[in-house]
Amino acid sequence: MVRRIDVTGAGGVRLAAWEFGDPPKGDPARAAEPARTVPAQGGPGRAPGERAERGPGVLLLHGLMGRASHWASTARWLSERHRAVALDQRGHGQSDKPPEGFYTREAYVDDAEAALEQLGLAPAVVIGHAMGALTAWQLAARRPDLVCGLVICDMRASALGGASQREWEDWFKAWPVPFATLADVRKWFGEDDPWVERPNPARGEFYAEVMSESADGWRPVFEPEQMLKSRETWVYDAHWEELTQVRCPALVVRGLDGELGRAESQEMVRVLPRGQYAEVADAGHLVHYDQPDAWRAAIEPFMDSVLTK
């Protein structure tokens, strides 16, 4: 079962959080219940005793252009023992996308903080991919009382610079939108995209999940301009100082062919006061999506060590 829970983020932005897992045992009526929306009112809007059955909380934060559904595989196995919630961050998925809204680092971190508090998840393990990982470690540095563990998936701490931002601007312009069919989406992002070195079906599926059908074809559920605004708030700065302020156990995970190099990832582990390292072979930047089984094998021992204490 998956259900949506509405959360109020910074500036009143409505955020969609998605809780994965079966209802409490002994409740056959809820066992057949479809996805639904409930409010977060000083807690998660769940049946009494549900949190206790599932154990400590986990908040999952997707990367730039991602959405909560990209965490479905991870969230489902986590929900066997823990309460797992994935958040559509502002500008993404089914959360609000205010045209003149704030797409700053502070806003993203404030949103994650609000989600933990309103959902009643804290202290929780926060798992983030790419931009979501940066949000996760900035939150852990700011609010150690809310975060008891941290998983950083393929996100660099060093500054990427202006050239990187210009590359992204050019890349968005190269998208042949609208796409006629989802098959065209899968083919372009999995094969034809100039950024693809070799065919990557998982990448094609990843981008198919962030498309919606419109009158003239398939378009992204986000606004590229808002994605560039979000990205420009971190690419010009390094983020090592915040890593030094993370006091909880932290696992840095990289795909062997991802964007985070081995030397930088190991330096991140060294800088983190309680850092650990894991590497996933045959995975690119979309580690958890490329290789879900290997991803689980990489993070599950860490999760067990943090959440069973």
Side-chain angles (χ1 to χ4, degrees):
M1 185 186 76
V2 182
R3 61 173 174 167
R4 171 176 167 165
I5 305 172
D6 283 342
V7 171
T8 302
V13 171
R14 181 189 54 83
L15 305 172
W18 302 89
E19 182 169 4
F20 292 75
D22 294 327
K25 295 177 181 178
D27 192 345
R30 291 190 61 211
E33 183 181 356
R36 62 192 179 99
T37 302
V38 296
Q41 299 176 342
R46 61 185 179 275
E50 186 170 343
R51 180 180 179 186
E53 280 201 26
R54 294 194 196 165
V58 180
L59 180 68
L60 299 123
L61 301 176
H62 60 74
L64 190 73
M65 300 183 295
R67 65 186 308 171
S69 63
H70 286 143
W71 288 116
S73 173
T74 299
R76 287 196 174 100
W77 65 259
L78 282 170
S79 69
E80 294 170 5
R81 296 173 58 190
H82 309 291
R83 186 169 177 240
V85 180
L87 181 69
D88 275 335
Q89 296 177 79
R90 60 177 54 219
H92 296 75
Q94 293 190 30
S95 289
D96 283 349
K97 305 168 181 64
E100 303 303 322
F102 292 104
Y103 294 93
T104 64
R105 284 284 81 226
E106 291 75 15
Y108 280 107
V109 176
D110 287 346
D111 288 347
E113 180 179 340
L116 285 177
E117 292 180 328
Q118 292 173 39
L119 294 166
L121 285 173
V125 172
V126 182
I127 302 176
H129 172 246
M131 178 193 75
L134 176 59
T135 299
W137 87 62
Q138 290 180 327
L139 174 62
R142 180 205 288 183
R143 291 292 307 273
D145 57 312
L146 297 182
V147 184
C148 65
L150 176 67
V151 178
I152 298 168
C153 180
D154 216 66
M155 180 61 186
R156 301 182 61 182
S158 57
L160 303 180
S164 171
Q165 189 71 353
R166 290 190 294 273
E167 287 175 0
W168 274 69
E169 291 172 0
D170 292 341
W171 180 56
F172 276 128
K173 292 175 184 176
W175 289 21
V177 291
F179 294 91
T181 67
L182 278 179
D184 292 329
V185 174
R186 295 184 182 98
K187 186 176 186 300
W188 197 82
F189 287 101
E191 300 178 24
D192 300 338
D193 184 348
W195 285 15
V196 176
E197 296 181 358
R198 58 181 181 273
N200 187 340
R203 189 175 188 268
E205 291 293 343
F206 182 93
Y207 282 97
E209 279 197 53
V210 296
M211 297 289 161
S212 63
E213 191 172 17
S214 58
D216 60 351
W218 293 83
R219 296 178 177 273
V221 297
F222 51 79
E223 295 295 333
E225 294 79 8
Q226 293 177 352
M227 300 300 98
L228 289 171
K229 281 184 181 179
S230 299
R231 194 173 186 275
E232 71 183 5
T233 65
W234 85 74
V235 296
Y236 299 104
D237 301 310
H239 305 282
W240 296 97
E241 179 62 28
E242 291 132 319
L243 286 175
T244 68
Q245 299 168 10
V246 174
R247 299 301 168 188
C248 63
L251 178 68
V252 178
V253 185
R254 66 178 290 268
L256 194 61
D257 298 317
E259 296 180 7
L260 177 61
R262 179 175 289 135
E264 183 172 356
S265 62
Q266 292 179 348
E267 179 63 10
M268 291 169 66
V269 172
R270 188 191 68 79
V271 167
L272 284 159
R274 301 173 67 184
Q276 302 177 39
Y277 176 75
E279 189 172 281
V280 179
D282 300 320
H285 177 58
L286 307 175
V287 183
H288 59 297
Y289 208 83
D290 281 350
Q291 300 290 340
D293 292 338
W295 158 255
R296 176 174 181 172
I299 74 165
E300 192 167 29
F302 174 82
M303 300 295 295
D304 288 344
S305 69
V306 172
L307 292 175
T308 58
K309 286 182 178 179

